[in-house]
Amino acid sequence: MSRLFIVLTAAGSGTRLGANTPKALVTLGSDSLLAHALHHLPPSNLVVISAPPAYLAGFSQVAAQFASPPPLVVPGGASRQASVLAALEALADVAAPITESDLVLVHDAARPFTPATVFSQVVAALQQGCPAVIPATPVLDTIKMVRNVSTPAREVVTDTLNRSQLRAVQTPQGFPLPTLLELHRRFAARAATETSAFGDDAALAEAAGIPVAVVPGSPRSLKITTPFDLQVAQLLANSDCPEAG
């Protein structure tokens, strides 16, 4: 029988939120973003949370309120990629022996209101044999490529992309656990800094030539990065509507 594990990335600093605490500990209503994210996770065999090293106790205190066994909290690294690798290595230790049927979802704590249907669609695609799965939504805005110039405008358009072929990628991103662990170990050198690291886990699969399947995402799965995002999230927290338009 396959097992399901979840890596919850929560090592963000919260700088762009203007917070003096890690992003995942910023409060939304009466709970932290981390608590909201944990509340919306599906049942699993174990959740591993990557946290800022200086805040492990605070994260563990929140995690202790959820699930049995409670989530495991590990120190994150210099980049998101490094933080995921740290969580995967901890998971490999406690979940050994790992089998090919074991699945892992990598999810952002900064997306605390991702609907259950998104998780279930990612898992279903993995169970049907997809080696990598991401949720995504259609791009609604016109997207243009630009380049820097020395005019007062500073940028000029170089191309307009076909938005029918573009998708805005979200989490959770799903993989067979052995596959994702091997990919992160293979590309570990890239994780040293944010500038060299891969932007998401699917990018590691793409670099290795592994096809990445896409399932529908959700407008409710917005990523909280700025104070404006936090205001939108407050509306979601107060809404009973399962989906935004």
Side-chain angles (χ1 to χ4, degrees), residues 12 33 50 119 214 225:
L33 295 183
S50 63
F119 288 98
V214 180
T225 303

Side-chain angles (χ1 to χ4, degrees), residues 96-107:
I98 294 172
T99 70
E100 292 297 326
S101 64
D102 289 333
L103 307 177
V104 63
L105 304 179
V106 181
H107 187 49

Side-chain angles (χ1 to χ4, degrees), residues 3 5 45-46 88-99 102 177:
R3 297 179 294 175
F5 300 99
N45 293 88
L46 181 65
L88 289 172
E89 293 289 8
L91 180 55
D93 286 340
V94 300
I98 294 172
T99 70
D102 289 333
L177 178 54

Side-chain angles (χ1 to χ4, degrees), residues 16-34:
R16 284 178 288 180
L17 266 182
N20 58 1
T21 189
K23 183 196 296 187
L25 296 183
V26 170
T27 56
L28 184 62
S30 60
D31 288 319
S32 65
L33 295 183
L34 177 61

Side-chain angles (χ1 to χ4, degrees), residues 108-198:
D108 296 330
R111 300 182 189 272
F113 299 113
T114 299
T117 53
V118 176
F119 288 98
S120 62
Q121 289 177 120
V122 172
V123 172
L126 289 172
Q127 292 173 334
Q128 292 165 12
C130 295
V133 184
I134 61 173
T137 58
V139 173
L140 302 180
D141 294 322
T142 297
I143 304 296
K144 295 183 182 292
M145 295 183 65
V146 301
R147 63 177 173 85
N148 293 331
V149 293
S150 57
T151 67
R154 295 187 177 274
E155 292 179 338
V156 295
V157 172
T158 61
D159 195 13
T160 300
L161 304 182
N162 181 356
R163 69 183 181 188
S164 69
Q165 297 178 317
L166 300 176
R167 297 294 181 268
V169 178
Q170 302 175 338
T171 65
Q173 299 187 357
F175 308 83
L177 178 54
T179 298
L180 188 61
L181 183 59
E182 189 278 327
L183 287 173
H184 270 275
R185 287 172 173 170
R186 187 194 312 182
F187 294 111
R190 291 278 299 269
T193 66
E194 284 289 2
T195 54
S196 62
F198 286 102

